[in-house]
Amino acid sequence: MSAAPIAHDPATADVGRLVVRCPDRPGIVAVLSRLLADVGANITESQQHSSDPTGGVFTLRLEFVLPGLTTRRRQLEGALELLATQWDLTWRLAEAARRPRLAVFVSRTDHVLQELLYRVRAGDLRADITAVVSNHPDLEPVAAAAGVPFHHVPVTPETKAEAEAQALELVGDADLVVLARYMQIVSADFCSRFPERLINIHHSFLPAFVGANPYRAAHDRGVKLIGATAHYVTADLDAGPIIEQEVARVDHRATVEDMRRIGRYVERQVLAQAVTWHVEDRVVVEGDRTIVFA
């Protein structure tokens, strides 16, 4: 599939985001602030975290405005490359005006997909959903109503490898793949194609109640809190770095269906928030954990 043109958002023109990681030591913030000041950038947001101020890892997210950012990006990147050698840092630079391309995988339930579509339409999620892929045809009308291409890719145990290959061809070079209640386990090879760019919503408060029917398990256990977890997907099932979680209170009167209904609201919020934070370069993976500059 040929790549779609990258959309740009005029509302965020000249807004840049810089995420930096390096060994913690004095002077890092001052050096980076001076670098941005020297090229004429104005810092509008700054958040930082240190795993240990004496020998730990320092993580910094800066948001700034630089007139003519697109044309001056090379200049800024050159300065950062020089600084990376001097301070042993890794960095990523993003232009907020660039709208990431999202591919959303679904099965039969539509509530999470509907939430993502709504937030894109409302301008709350600055991204473009370029494809909806499903192992069932049920949600084609939802995608069609939003003007998003829908691709039905049936999956059986015998055709799973071929189906994944077809899906990968359909999503092309998507910036982020979202499993929005996609009730299939993706392979390790699929995960490797989207490192730290594959997000799943799990309808339980991980690491509790893993598997396909957590609300039944929660009901049988008599829990008083149910929740949802959005996490990056890795080859280890339901064990990737957690981005966002939320809970809702229930009591002994709640049936399994009550829990599913309540859970749908939680799932919508949790996944949409995780996707938004990822798109805004607010999530940094640190081993099995994440740093989220919310």
Side-chain angles (χ1 to χ4, degrees):
M1 185 176 99
S2 60
I6 297 173
H8 287 76
D9 188 344
T12 52
D14 296 332
V15 175
R17 303 183 187 119
L18 175 63
V19 179
V20 170
R21 303 202 78 205
C22 62
D24 199 355
R25 55 173 164 152
I28 300 167
V29 175
V31 167
L32 288 166
S33 299
R34 173 51 56 190
L35 183 153
L36 290 172
D38 286 345
V39 298
N42 182 31
I43 296 173
T44 56
E45 184 178 330
S46 177
Q47 292 176 284
Q48 63 194 57
H49 169 75
S50 175
S51 63
D52 185 339
T54 57
V57 177
F58 180 79
T59 307
L60 174 69
R61 179 189 183 273
L62 293 171
E63 195 161 300
F64 60 90
V65 176
L66 175 61
L69 172 61
T70 299
T71 57
R72 302 184 64 187
R73 178 169 180 148
R74 284 290 183 87
Q75 176 191 1
L76 185 53
E77 288 176 334
L80 286 166
E81 287 171 2
L82 179 61
L83 206 62
T85 302
Q86 297 171 343
W87 288 76
D88 188 24
L89 59 83
T90 59
W91 56 273
R92 71 174 186 255
L93 177 65
E95 297 179 44
R98 181 188 184 279
R99 293 175 67 90
R101 296 179 292 246
L102 274 55
V104 182
F105 281 58
V106 296
S107 286
R108 285 195 166 104
T109 57
D110 71 338
H111 57 286
V112 184
L113 172 62
Q114 294 274 24
E115 184 70 20
L116 293 173
L117 291 169
Y118 168 76
R119 293 199 183 201
V120 168
R121 186 170 65 250
D124 299 330
L125 174 57
R126 295 183 181 276
D128 293 317
I129 299 175
T130 56
V132 174
V133 180
S134 180
N135 56 324
H136 297 284
D138 305 48
L139 301 189
E140 182 172 9
V142 175
V148 177
F150 180 89
H151 307 284
H152 178 213
V153 183
V155 180
T156 67
E158 296 75 26
T159 64
K160 188 173 180 64
E162 293 83 354
E164 275 201 357
Q166 182 182 352
L168 285 168
E169 178 68 21
L170 289 168
V171 302
D173 56 353
D175 298 296
L176 178 67
V177 174
V178 182
L179 306 182
R181 291 299 304 273
Y182 182 61
M183 304 306 289
Q184 293 286 324
I185 297 173
V186 296
S187 69
D189 178 65
F190 191 100
C191 296
S192 70
R193 304 291 184 94
F194 302 96
E196 299 174 13
R197 295 188 295 123
L198 179 59
I199 296 179
N200 180 50
I201 182 66
H202 189 83
H203 45 309
S204 83
F205 198 68
L206 291 175
F209 304 121
V210 299
N213 199 357
Y215 292 124
R216 166 59 66 183
H219 176 270
D220 293 347
R221 187 64 179 82
V223 303
K224 300 300 182 277
L225 290 172
I226 58 173
T229 303
H231 64 96
Y232 288 114
V233 181
T234 64
D236 296 323
L237 182 63
D238 294 336
I242 292 170
I243 306 169
E244 172 67 331
Q245 295 181 295
E246 186 57 87
V247 295
R249 181 166 291 280
V250 295
D251 61 25
H252 61 278
R253 296 169 295 181
T255 65
V256 174
E257 188 50 46
D258 288 334
M259 289 186 175
R260 291 196 179 107
R261 175 178 50 79
I262 295 168
R264 284 194 290 269
Y265 291 100
V266 180
E267 292 162 24
R268 292 168 65 144
Q269 168 65 26
V270 168
L271 183 61
Q273 185 64 81
V275 171
T276 300
W277 282 336
H278 176 96
V279 164
E280 294 178 352
D281 301 289
R282 295 184 180 276
V283 186
V284 180
V285 175
E286 186 178 66
D288 293 331
R289 307 169 65 247
T290 61
I291 298 167
V292 180
F293 292 122

